[in-house]
């Protein structure tokens, strides 16, 4: 009897232990599953609530500030609906939302402020918008839209600021625009929400200090070897700070804050720009151009060399006039989250990623330069080296200093 009792007790305890173990395993599985599910949910696009909250965080609105949105009706309408509710909670005043599509105007966007703007020409609309403290340019809007262009004229009068929330600016390595699909939207959302804006601003200010009184040289394996100085020219730091309390704004694009963020932009002193730019194979005047090399003297193109497409290059530059033959700006990306992906590489958000260089041609008046004429051509370089004085900040597309 004692033996049987001990045997039954042993079996009973073994079953309890087994049951407890299985219960523990089940709990672990459910916990991990819920975490993964939560993680997927947090990372999936669109997370309108998180995006709206981040936009308002970056705006840093103060009580009484007047805010207007400029939008194209479509996929981002739920975000606008959230912003309409959240802006007044900051103490700011929501004025309304302009639709850039004259044939589609959601009724809830049309406030009294928007109705009173109807029918105004650009000059009158600019005067009307002088009361706006912050304009948010939503995805789908472009500078030729009347409301967008009028708000830019307000900025040119040293009034207000705008957020450029374009959700665009993706390019292949040849500099041709590519579509923003769901994968890229999810990528942009993560960048926008996870960027360390404080550290980004620190690195950019450090770079500005370095280039202020030194020669800046850019080289590439293809043969680019160009240098310039910036002197006292304004350096626009796209650090994501859209507050009215940030540092002095010295030109148009200082008042236009890009989100996502990442680049510094400057128009060098034109007379100091010397050397050559070797371009990636790209499209000029609608035609493919290969092995293009432009030589600059005092900021002007003095020589054009290439193996294929020289006439296309000349046609594009000639049609642009003096601006076509002028060096426009130097831009350098600092955001590590926007760096060129190693797998299936492409250029995210206008080259704002760490180590991406932009050497542009054309009108640089919006940057504080002396070249006018309207023509602008951005050229991306993903494997450039940037040397400031004797210090290498970027080596073959990799940001070194401040990283």
């Amino acid at each position: 009897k004692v033996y049987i009792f001990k045997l039954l007790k042993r079996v009973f305890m073994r079953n309890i232990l087994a049951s407890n173990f299985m219960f523990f395993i089940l709990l672990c599985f459910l916990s991990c599953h819920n975490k993964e599910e939560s993680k997927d949910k947090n990372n999936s696009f669109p997370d309108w609530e998180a995006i709206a909250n981040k936009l308002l965080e970056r705006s840093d609105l103060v009580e009484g500030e007047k805010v207007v949105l400029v939008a194209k009706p479509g996929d981002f309408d739920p975000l606008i609906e959230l912003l309409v509710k959240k802006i007044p909670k900051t103490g700011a005043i929501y004025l309304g939302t302009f639709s850039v599509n004259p044939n589609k105007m959601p009724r809830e966007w049309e406030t009294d402020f928007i109705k009173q703007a109807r029918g105004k020409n650009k000059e009158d609309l600019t005067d009307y918008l002088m009361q706006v403290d912050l304009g948010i340019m939503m995805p789908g809007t472009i500078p030729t839209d009347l409301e967008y262009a009028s708000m830019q004229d307000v900025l040119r009068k040293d009034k207000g600021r705008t957020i450029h929330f374009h959700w665009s600016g993706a390019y292949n390595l040849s500099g041709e625009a590519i579509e923003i699909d769901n994968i890229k939207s999810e990528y942009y959302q993560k960048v926008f929400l996870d960027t360390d804006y404080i550290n980004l601003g620190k690195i950019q200010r450090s770079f500005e200090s370095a280039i202020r009184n030194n020669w800046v040289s850019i080289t590439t394996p293809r043969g680019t070897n160009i240098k310039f100085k910036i002197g006292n020219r304004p350096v626009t730091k796209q650090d994501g700070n859209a507050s009215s309390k940030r540092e002095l704004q010295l030109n148009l694009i200082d008042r236009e804050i890009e989100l996502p963020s990442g680049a510094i932009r400057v128009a060098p002193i034109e007379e100091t720009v010397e050397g050559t730019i070797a371009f990636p194979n790209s499209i000029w005047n609608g035609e493919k151009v290969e092995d293009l090399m432009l030589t600059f003297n005092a900021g002007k193109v003095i020589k054009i060399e290439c193996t294929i497409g020289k006439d296309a290059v000349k046609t594009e530059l000639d049609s642009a006039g003096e601006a076509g033959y002028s060096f426009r700006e130097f831009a350098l990306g600092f955001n590590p989250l926007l760096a060129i992906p190693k797998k299936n590489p492409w250029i995210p958000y206008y080259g704002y990623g760490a180590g991406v260089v932009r050497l542009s041609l054309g009108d640089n008046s919006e940057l504080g330069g002396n070249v006018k004429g309207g023509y602008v051509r951005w050229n991306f370089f993903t494997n450039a080296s940037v040397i400031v004085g004797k210090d290498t900040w970027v080596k073959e597309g990799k940001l070194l200093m401040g990283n």
Side-chain angles (χ1 to χ4, degrees):
K1 287 182 180 180
V2 173
Y3 173 76
I4 292 173
F5 176 76
K6 288 183 177 179
L7 182 62
L8 288 174
K9 183 180 179 181
R10 191 179 302 161
V11 171
F12 178 72
M13 292 300 295
R14 193 175 294 166
N15 286 338
I16 288 177
L17 288 172
S19 298
N20 287 342
F21 178 73
M22 290 303 295
F23 182 67
F24 175 74
I25 293 295
L26 180 61
L27 281 178
C28 288
F29 172 77
L30 290 173
S31 176
C32 291
H33 178 72
N34 288 337
K35 283 181 180 177
E36 283 299 316
E37 199 173 58
S38 174
K39 184 179 177 183
D40 291 342
K41 185 177 180 181
N42 290 337
N43 286 342
S44 63
F45 175 81
D47 187 341
W48 298 129
E49 184 77 20
I51 292 174
N53 289 339
K54 184 61 72 171
L55 274 171
L56 293 179
E57 175 201 294
R58 294 288 87 211
S59 302
D60 190 24
L61 293 167
V62 299
E63 187 171 356
E65 282 196 304
K66 296 178 180 179
V67 184
V68 71
L69 310 184
V70 180
K72 182 178 181 179
D75 295 341
F76 283 75
D77 290 3
L79 177 58
I80 295 172
E81 185 178 340
L82 279 174
L83 290 172
V84 170
K85 294 176 182 177
K86 289 175 178 290
I87 288 170
K89 293 179 180 178
T90 68
I93 301 167
Y94 168 69
L95 295 176
T97 301
F98 286 107
S99 171
V100 298
N101 183 348
N103 300 317
K104 190 174 182 181
M105 178 66 182
R107 186 175 299 175
E108 58 272 20
W109 294 7
E110 201 168 19
T111 60
D112 289 341
F113 178 85
I114 300 299
K115 290 176 182 177
Q116 291 171 23
R118 188 180 296 145
K120 294 183 182 293
N121 60 31
K122 187 183 178 189
E123 183 178 353
D124 290 341
L125 184 57
T126 299
D127 291 339
Y128 184 65
L129 292 176
M130 286 294 290
Q131 61 188 291
V132 174
D133 297 296
L134 173 66
I136 302 179
M137 307 295 127
M138 300 296 290
T141 61
I142 55 176
T144 54
D145 293 325
L146 175 62
E147 298 81 7
Y148 192 128
S150 299
M151 196 63 214
Q152 280 193 319
D153 283 349
V154 170
L155 303 185
R156 290 188 179 97
K157 295 183 179 184
D158 297 328
K159 175 70 171 68
R161 64 197 190 279
T162 58
I163 287 175
H164 285 194
F165 192 63
H166 294 315
W167 219 256
S168 57
Y171 298 86
N172 62 26
L173 297 188
S174 296
E176 300 168 88
I178 55 180
E179 181 186 359
I180 302 294
D181 55 19
N182 286 337
I183 294 175
K184 289 181 177 59
S185 284
E186 199 157 300
Y187 178 89
Y188 276 6
Q189 176 176 280
K190 177 174 175 56
V191 172
F192 178 52
L193 298 179
D194 293 351
T195 291
D196 183 342
Y197 292 97
I198 294 175
N199 191 50
L200 179 62
K202 287 179 180 177
I203 296 171
Q204 291 180 344
R205 288 190 293 275
S206 177
F207 185 74
E208 177 188 11
S209 178
I211 65 176
R212 183 58 69 189
N213 296 306
N214 280 303
W215 281 96
V216 180
S217 302
I218 295 100
T219 62
T220 66
R222 269 184 175 267
T224 296
N225 190 355
I226 195 163
K227 66 177 183 178
F228 53 80
K229 297 191 81 171
I230 69 162
N232 292 321
R233 285 285 172 85
V235 176
T236 296
K237 297 173 286 295
Q238 291 293 354
D239 59 3
N241 181 1
S243 170
S244 61
K245 303 186 286 289
R246 74 196 193 287
E247 63 187 11
L248 185 67
Q249 297 91 56
L250 300 174
N251 54 40
L252 172 64
I253 65 168
D254 272 349
R255 294 180 176 272
E256 296 180 323
I257 298 91
E258 298 281 349
L259 293 172
S261 309
I264 66 94
R265 301 174 61 185
V266 61
I269 299 171
E270 289 80 7
E271 294 76 18
T272 69
V273 181
E274 302 281 345
T276 57
I277 300 178
F279 292 79
N281 294 341
S282 50
I283 304 298
W284 293 69
N285 197 45
E287 298 181 26
K288 187 174 182 179
V289 174
E290 295 184 0
D291 303 318
L292 173 63
M293 181 91 73
L294 297 183
T295 302
F296 291 81
N297 179 47
K300 300 295 183 184
V301 176
I302 60 170
K303 189 176 183 181
I304 303 172
E305 300 172 278
C306 58
T307 56
I308 295 176
K310 185 173 182 178
D311 288 342
V313 176
K314 282 186 59 64
T315 299
E316 180 171 327
L317 298 186
D318 287 344
S319 63
E322 183 182 358
Y325 285 86
S326 301
F327 188 88
R328 166 183 160 86
E329 74 169 306
F330 162 68
L332 176 61
F334 285 89
N335 193 330
L337 299 184
L338 285 172
I340 306 292
K342 292 181 180 179
K343 184 178 180 181
N344 301 321
W346 56 287
I347 302 172
Y349 205 77
Y350 303 102
Y352 278 26
V356 180
V357 169
R358 213 165 70 192
L359 302 174
S360 304
L361 304 176
D363 186 328
N364 61 11
S365 56
E366 67 176 2
L367 294 140
N370 295 326
V371 180
K372 298 182 179 180
Y375 171 79
V376 173
R377 182 186 174 95
W378 291 341
N379 308 288
F380 300 100
F381 299 83
T382 60
N383 60 353
S385 296
V386 179
I387 301 95
V388 180
K390 295 181 179 180
D391 296 325
T392 300
W393 277 74
V394 179
K395 185 173 178 62
E396 296 184 359
K398 305 298 180 185
L399 182 65
L400 302 179
M401 301 287 285
N403 199 15

